[in-house]
Amino acid sequence: MDKMKVTYEAMLALAAEMILDEAVLKYRTDQIYRAIDNALAAGDEDTFYRLTKQLNEIHH
């Protein structure tokens, strides 16, 4: 029975880690999109290209 408990706890920890990773990715993606919008509004082409590159890197 203890082996099942350890396995269950390990799976639960993995699921929690996956949820946390997804939340961090969503938060970072939202930040980059907002910064891209700001760069577009300001006409800042260099920042726009840098941020779109970052966005592509985190999604690949």
Side-chain angles (χ1 to χ4, degrees):
M1 199 63 162
D2 285 334
K3 187 175 183 180
M4 283 183 67
K5 182 179 178 185
V6 170
T7 301
Y8 175 75
E9 289 174 354
M11 290 178 64
L12 194 59
L14 181 59
E17 185 177 346
M18 290 171 61
I19 291 168
L20 181 59
D21 287 347
E22 185 65 29
V24 169
L25 178 62
K26 182 180 180 340
Y27 175 78
R28 184 66 185 130
T29 299
D30 290 346
Q31 279 186 320
I32 292 173
Y33 275 124
R34 279 195 299 278
I36 287 172
D37 287 344
N38 292 338
L40 285 171
D44 187 347
E45 190 174 324
D46 292 335
T47 300
F48 170 79
Y49 284 117
R50 181 178 52 80
L51 291 168
T52 54
K53 182 179 177 189
Q54 282 182 16
L55 189 61
N56 285 330
E57 288 171 356
I58 66 172
H59 285 287
H60 286 102

Coordinates of all heavy atoms in Angstrom, one line a residue:
M1 N 0.8 -1.2 0.0 CA 0.0 0.0 0.0 C 0.9 1.3 0.0 O 0.5 2.3 -0.6 CB -0.9 0.0 1.2 CG -2.1 0.9 1.1 SD -3.1 0.4 -0.3 CE -4.6 1.3 0.1
D2 N 2.0 1.2 0.7 CA 2.9 2.4 0.7 C 3.4 2.7 -0.7 O 3.6 3.9 -1.0 CB 4.0 2.2 1.7 CG 3.6 2.3 3.1 OD1 2.6 3.0 3.4 OD2 4.3 1.7 4.0
K3 N 3.7 1.7 -1.5 CA 4.2 1.9 -2.8 C 3.1 2.7 -3.7 O 3.4 3.6 -4.4 CB 4.6 0.6 -3.5 CG 5.3 0.8 -4.8 CD 5.8 -0.5 -5.4 CE 6.5 -0.2 -6.7 NZ 7.0 -1.4 -7.3
M4 N 1.9 2.3 -3.5 CA 0.8 3.0 -4.2 C 0.7 4.5 -3.8 O 0.5 5.4 -4.6 CB -0.5 2.3 -4.0 CG -0.7 1.1 -4.8 SD -2.3 0.3 -4.6 CE -3.4 1.5 -5.3
K5 N 0.9 4.7 -2.5 CA 0.8 6.1 -2.0 C 1.9 6.9 -2.5 O 1.7 8.1 -3.0 CB 0.9 6.1 -0.4 CG 0.8 7.4 0.2 CD 0.8 7.4 1.7 CE 0.7 8.8 2.3 NZ 0.9 8.8 3.7
V6 N 3.1 6.4 -2.6 CA 4.3 7.1 -3.2 C 4.0 7.4 -4.6 O 4.3 8.5 -5.1 CB 5.6 6.3 -3.0 CG1 6.7 6.9 -3.7 CG2 5.9 6.2 -1.5
T7 N 3.5 6.4 -5.4 CA 3.2 6.6 -6.8 C 2.2 7.7 -7.0 O 2.3 8.6 -7.8 CB 2.8 5.3 -7.4 OG1 3.8 4.3 -7.3 CG2 2.5 5.5 -8.9
Y8 N 1.1 7.6 -6.2 CA 0.1 8.6 -6.2 C 0.6 10.0 -5.9 O 0.3 11.0 -6.7 CB -1.1 8.3 -5.3 CG -2.1 9.3 -5.2 CD1 -3.1 9.4 -6.2 CD2 -2.2 10.2 -4.1 CE1 -4.1 10.4 -6.2 CE2 -3.2 11.2 -4.1 CZ -4.1 11.3 -5.1 OH -5.1 12.2 -5.0
E9 N 1.4 10.1 -4.9 CA 2.0 11.4 -4.6 C 2.9 12.0 -5.7 O 2.9 13.2 -5.9 CB 2.7 11.3 -3.2 CG 1.8 11.2 -2.0 CD 2.5 10.9 -0.7 OE1 3.7 10.8 -0.7 OE2 1.8 10.9 0.3
A10 N 3.7 11.1 -6.3 CA 4.5 11.5 -7.4 C 3.7 12.0 -8.6 O 4.1 13.0 -9.2 CB 5.4 10.3 -7.8
M11 N 2.7 11.3 -8.9 CA 1.8 11.7 -10.0 C 1.1 13.0 -9.7 O 1.0 13.9 -10.5 CB 0.8 10.6 -10.3 CG 1.4 9.4 -10.9 SD 0.2 8.1 -11.3 CE -0.8 8.8 -12.5
L12 N 0.7 13.2 -8.4 CA 0.1 14.4 -8.0 C 1.0 15.6 -8.1 O 0.7 16.7 -8.6 CB -0.5 14.3 -6.6 CG -1.4 15.3 -6.1 CD1 -2.7 15.4 -7.0 CD2 -1.8 15.0 -4.6
A13 N 2.3 15.4 -7.7 CA 3.3 16.4 -7.8 C 3.6 16.8 -9.2 O 3.8 17.9 -9.6 CB 4.6 15.9 -7.1
L14 N 3.6 15.8 -10.1 CA 3.9 16.0 -11.5 C 2.7 16.8 -12.1 O 3.0 17.8 -12.9 CB 4.0 14.7 -12.3 CG 4.3 14.8 -13.8 CD1 5.5 15.6 -14.1 CD2 4.4 13.4 -14.4
A15 N 1.5 16.5 -11.8 CA 0.3 17.2 -12.3 C 0.4 18.7 -11.8 O 0.1 19.6 -12.6 CB -1.0 16.6 -11.8
A16 N 0.7 18.9 -10.5 CA 0.8 20.2 -10.0 C 1.9 21.0 -10.7 O 1.8 22.2 -11.0 CB 1.1 20.2 -8.5
E17 N 3.1 20.4 -11.0 CA 4.1 21.0 -11.7 C 3.7 21.4 -13.1 O 4.0 22.5 -13.6 CB 5.4 20.1 -11.8 CG 6.6 20.8 -12.4 CD 7.8 19.9 -12.4 OE1 7.8 18.9 -11.7 OE2 8.7 20.2 -13.1
M18 N 3.0 20.5 -13.8 CA 2.5 20.8 -15.1 C 1.5 22.0 -15.1 O 1.6 22.9 -16.0 CB 1.8 19.6 -15.7 CG 2.8 18.5 -16.1 SD 2.0 16.9 -16.5 CE 1.1 17.4 -18.0
I19 N 0.7 22.1 -14.2 CA -0.3 23.2 -14.0 C 0.5 24.5 -13.8 O 0.2 25.5 -14.4 CB -1.3 22.9 -12.9 CG1 -2.3 21.8 -13.4 CG2 -2.1 24.2 -12.6 CD1 -3.1 21.2 -12.3
L20 N 1.4 24.5 -12.9 CA 2.2 25.6 -12.6 C 3.0 26.1 -13.8 O 3.0 27.3 -14.2 CB 3.2 25.4 -11.5 CG 4.1 26.5 -11.0 CD1 3.2 27.7 -10.6 CD2 5.0 26.1 -9.9
D21 N 3.6 25.2 -14.6 CA 4.3 25.5 -15.8 C 3.4 26.2 -16.8 O 3.8 27.2 -17.4 CB 5.0 24.3 -16.4 CG 6.2 23.8 -15.7 OD1 6.7 24.5 -14.8 OD2 6.6 22.6 -15.9
E22 N 2.2 25.7 -17.0 CA 1.3 26.2 -17.9 C 0.9 27.6 -17.5 O 0.7 28.6 -18.3 CB 0.0 25.3 -18.0 CG -1.0 25.8 -19.0 CD -0.4 25.7 -20.5 OE1 0.4 24.9 -20.8 OE2 -0.9 26.5 -21.3
A23 N 0.7 27.9 -16.2 CA 0.3 29.2 -15.7 C 1.4 30.2 -15.9 O 1.1 31.3 -16.3 CB -0.1 29.1 -14.2
V24 N 2.6 29.8 -15.7 CA 3.8 30.7 -15.9 C 3.9 31.0 -17.3 O 4.1 32.2 -17.7 CB 5.1 30.1 -15.3 CG1 6.3 30.8 -15.8 CG2 5.0 30.0 -13.8
L25 N 3.7 30.0 -18.2 CA 3.8 30.3 -19.7 C 2.7 31.2 -20.1 O 3.0 32.2 -20.9 CB 3.7 29.0 -20.4 CG 3.7 29.1 -21.9 CD1 5.0 29.6 -22.5 CD2 3.4 27.7 -22.6
K26 N 1.5 31.1 -19.6 CA 0.4 32.0 -20.0 C 0.7 33.4 -19.5 O 0.5 34.4 -20.2 CB -0.9 31.5 -19.4 CG -2.1 32.4 -19.8 CD -3.4 31.9 -19.2 CE -4.6 32.7 -19.6 NZ -4.4 34.1 -20.0
Y27 N 1.2 33.5 -18.2 CA 1.5 34.8 -17.7 C 2.6 35.5 -18.5 O 2.4 36.7 -18.9 CB 2.0 34.7 -16.2 CG 2.4 36.0 -15.6 CD1 1.5 36.9 -15.2 CD2 3.8 36.3 -15.5 CE1 1.9 38.1 -14.6 CE2 4.2 37.5 -14.9 CZ 3.2 38.4 -14.5 OH 3.6 39.6 -13.9
R28 N 3.6 34.8 -18.8 CA 4.7 35.4 -19.6 C 4.2 35.7 -21.0 O 4.6 36.8 -21.6 CB 5.9 34.4 -19.7 CG 7.1 34.9 -20.4 CD 7.7 36.1 -19.6 NE 8.8 36.6 -20.4 CZ 8.9 37.9 -20.7 NH1 8.1 38.8 -20.2 NH2 9.9 38.4 -21.4
T29 N 3.4 34.9 -21.6 CA 2.9 35.2 -23.0 C 2.0 36.4 -22.9 O 2.1 37.3 -23.8 CB 2.0 34.0 -23.5 OG1 2.9 32.8 -23.6 CG2 1.4 34.3 -24.8
D30 N 1.2 36.6 -21.9 CA 0.3 37.8 -21.8 C 1.2 39.0 -21.6 O 0.9 40.1 -22.2 CB -0.6 37.6 -20.6 CG -1.7 36.6 -20.8 OD1 -1.9 36.2 -22.0 OD2 -2.4 36.2 -19.8
Q31 N 2.3 38.9 -20.8 CA 3.2 40.1 -20.7 C 3.8 40.5 -22.0 O 3.9 41.7 -22.3 CB 4.3 39.7 -19.7 CG 4.0 39.8 -18.3 CD 5.2 39.5 -17.4 OE1 6.1 38.7 -17.7 NE2 5.4 40.3 -16.4
I32 N 4.2 39.5 -22.8 CA 4.9 39.8 -24.0 C 3.9 40.4 -25.0 O 4.2 41.4 -25.7 CB 5.5 38.6 -24.7 CG1 6.7 38.1 -23.8 CG2 6.0 38.8 -26.1 CD1 7.4 36.8 -24.2
Y33 N 2.6 39.9 -25.1 CA 1.6 40.5 -25.9 C 1.3 41.9 -25.6 O 1.2 42.8 -26.5 CB 0.3 39.7 -25.9 CG 0.3 38.5 -26.8 CD1 0.1 37.2 -26.4 CD2 0.5 38.7 -28.2 CE1 0.0 36.1 -27.2 CE2 0.5 37.6 -29.1 CZ 0.2 36.3 -28.6 OH 0.2 35.3 -29.4
R34 N 1.2 42.2 -24.3 CA 1.0 43.6 -23.9 C 2.2 44.5 -24.3 O 2.0 45.6 -24.7 CB 0.8 43.7 -22.3 CG -0.6 43.3 -21.9 CD -0.9 43.8 -20.5 NE -0.1 43.1 -19.5 CZ -0.3 41.9 -19.0 NH1 -1.3 41.2 -19.4 NH2 0.5 41.4 -18.1
A35 N 3.4 44.0 -24.1 CA 4.6 44.8 -24.5 C 4.6 45.0 -26.0 O 5.0 46.1 -26.5 CB 5.8 44.1 -24.0
I36 N 4.2 44.0 -26.8 CA 4.2 44.1 -28.2 C 3.1 45.2 -28.6 O 3.4 46.0 -29.5 CB 3.8 42.8 -28.9 CG1 5.0 41.8 -28.8 CG2 3.4 43.0 -30.3 CD1 4.7 40.4 -29.3
D37 N 2.0 45.2 -28.0 CA 1.0 46.2 -28.2 C 1.5 47.6 -27.9 O 1.3 48.5 -28.7 CB -0.3 46.0 -27.4 CG -1.1 44.8 -27.9 OD1 -0.9 44.3 -29.0 OD2 -2.0 44.3 -27.1
N38 N 2.2 47.7 -26.8 CA 2.8 49.0 -26.5 C 3.9 49.5 -27.5 O 4.0 50.6 -27.9 CB 3.5 49.0 -25.1 CG 2.4 48.8 -24.0 OD1 1.3 49.2 -24.2 ND2 2.8 48.3 -22.8
A39 N 4.7 48.5 -27.9 CA 5.7 48.8 -28.9 C 5.1 49.2 -30.2 O 5.5 50.2 -30.9 CB 6.6 47.6 -29.2
L40 N 4.0 48.6 -30.6 CA 3.3 49.0 -31.9 C 2.7 50.4 -31.7 O 2.8 51.2 -32.6 CB 2.2 48.0 -32.2 CG 2.7 46.6 -32.8 CD1 1.5 45.7 -32.8 CD2 3.3 46.8 -34.1
A41 N 2.1 50.6 -30.6 CA 1.5 52.0 -30.3 C 2.6 53.1 -30.4 O 2.3 54.2 -30.8 CB 0.7 52.0 -29.0
A42 N 3.8 52.7 -29.9 CA 4.8 53.7 -29.8 C 5.6 53.8 -31.1 O 6.5 54.6 -31.3 CB 5.8 53.4 -28.7
G43 N 5.4 52.9 -32.0 CA 6.1 52.8 -33.3 C 7.5 52.3 -33.1 O 8.4 52.6 -33.9
D44 N 7.8 51.5 -32.0 CA 9.1 51.0 -31.7 C 9.3 49.7 -32.4 O 9.1 48.6 -31.9 CB 9.2 50.9 -30.2 CG 10.6 50.6 -29.7 OD1 11.5 50.2 -30.6 OD2 10.9 50.7 -28.5
E45 N 9.9 49.8 -33.6 CA 10.1 48.6 -34.4 C 11.1 47.6 -33.8 O 10.8 46.4 -33.9 CB 10.5 49.0 -35.8 CG 10.5 48.0 -36.8 CD 10.9 48.5 -38.2 OE1 10.5 49.6 -38.6 OE2 11.6 47.8 -39.0
D46 N 12.2 48.1 -33.3 CA 13.2 47.2 -32.7 C 12.6 46.4 -31.6 O 12.8 45.2 -31.5 CB 14.4 48.0 -32.2 CG 15.2 48.6 -33.4 OD1 15.1 48.1 -34.5 OD2 15.9 49.6 -33.1
T47 N 11.9 47.0 -30.7 CA 11.3 46.3 -29.5 C 10.2 45.3 -30.0 O 10.2 44.2 -29.5 CB 10.7 47.3 -28.5 OG1 11.7 48.2 -28.1 CG2 10.0 46.6 -27.4
F48 N 9.5 45.7 -31.0 CA 8.5 44.8 -31.6 C 9.1 43.6 -32.1 O 8.7 42.5 -31.8 CB 7.7 45.5 -32.7 CG 6.8 44.6 -33.5 CD1 5.6 44.2 -33.0 CD2 7.3 44.1 -34.7 CE1 4.8 43.3 -33.8 CE2 6.5 43.2 -35.5 CZ 5.3 42.8 -35.0
Y49 N 10.2 43.7 -32.9 CA 10.8 42.5 -33.4 C 11.5 41.7 -32.3 O 11.4 40.4 -32.4 CB 11.9 42.9 -34.5 CG 11.2 43.2 -35.8 CD1 11.3 44.5 -36.3 CD2 10.4 42.3 -36.5 CE1 10.7 44.9 -37.5 CE2 9.8 42.6 -37.7 CZ 10.0 43.9 -38.2 OH 9.3 44.2 -39.4
R50 N 12.1 42.3 -31.3 CA 12.7 41.6 -30.2 C 11.6 40.8 -29.4 O 11.8 39.6 -29.1 CB 13.4 42.5 -29.3 CG 14.1 41.9 -28.1 CD 14.8 42.9 -27.2 NE 14.0 44.0 -26.8 CZ 13.1 44.0 -25.8 NH1 13.0 42.9 -25.1 NH2 12.5 45.1 -25.5
L51 N 10.5 41.4 -29.2 CA 9.4 40.7 -28.4 C 8.8 39.6 -29.2 O 8.5 38.6 -28.7 CB 8.4 41.8 -28.0 CG 8.9 42.7 -26.9 CD1 7.9 43.9 -26.8 CD2 9.1 42.0 -25.6
T52 N 8.6 39.8 -30.5 CA 8.0 38.7 -31.3 C 8.9 37.6 -31.4 O 8.5 36.4 -31.4 CB 7.6 39.2 -32.7 OG1 8.7 39.8 -33.4 CG2 6.4 40.2 -32.7
K53 N 10.2 37.8 -31.4 CA 11.2 36.7 -31.4 C 11.1 36.0 -30.1 O 11.1 34.7 -30.1 CB 12.6 37.3 -31.6 CG 13.7 36.2 -31.6 CD 15.1 36.8 -31.8 CE 16.1 35.7 -31.8 NZ 17.4 36.2 -31.7
Q54 N 11.0 36.7 -29.0 CA 10.8 36.0 -27.6 C 9.6 35.2 -27.6 O 9.6 34.1 -27.1 CB 10.8 37.1 -26.5 CG 12.0 37.7 -26.1 CD 11.9 38.7 -25.0 OE1 10.8 38.7 -24.3 NE2 12.9 39.5 -24.8
L55 N 8.5 35.7 -28.2 CA 7.2 35.0 -28.2 C 7.4 33.7 -29.0 O 6.9 32.7 -28.5 CB 6.1 35.9 -28.8 CG 4.7 35.4 -28.7 CD1 4.3 35.2 -27.2 CD2 3.8 36.4 -29.4
N56 N 8.0 33.8 -30.1 CA 8.2 32.6 -30.9 C 9.1 31.6 -30.2 O 8.9 30.4 -30.3 CB 8.8 32.9 -32.3 CG 7.8 33.6 -33.2 OD1 6.7 33.3 -33.1 ND2 8.3 34.5 -34.1
E57 N 10.1 32.0 -29.5 CA 11.0 31.1 -28.7 C 10.3 30.4 -27.6 O 10.6 29.2 -27.4 CB 12.2 31.9 -28.2 CG 13.2 32.3 -29.3 CD 14.3 33.2 -28.8 OE1 14.2 33.6 -27.6 OE2 15.1 33.6 -29.6
I58 N 9.4 31.1 -26.9 CA 8.8 30.4 -25.8 C 7.6 29.4 -26.2 O 7.2 28.5 -25.5 CB 8.2 31.3 -24.7 CG1 7.1 32.2 -25.2 CG2 9.3 32.2 -24.1 CD1 6.4 33.0 -24.1
H59 N 7.2 29.6 -27.5 CA 6.2 28.7 -28.0 C 6.7 27.6 -28.9 O 5.9 26.9 -29.5 CB 5.1 29.5 -28.7 CG 4.2 30.2 -27.7 ND1 3.3 29.6 -27.0 CD2 4.1 31.5 -27.4 CE1 2.6 30.4 -26.2 NE2 3.2 31.6 -26.4
H60 N 8.0 27.5 -29.0 CA 8.6 26.4 -29.8 C 9.5 25.5 -28.9 O 10.0 25.7 -27.9 CB 9.4 26.9 -31.0 CG 8.5 27.4 -32.0 ND1 8.2 28.8 -32.2 CD2 7.7 26.8 -32.9 CE1 7.4 28.9 -33.2 NE2 7.1 27.8 -33.7

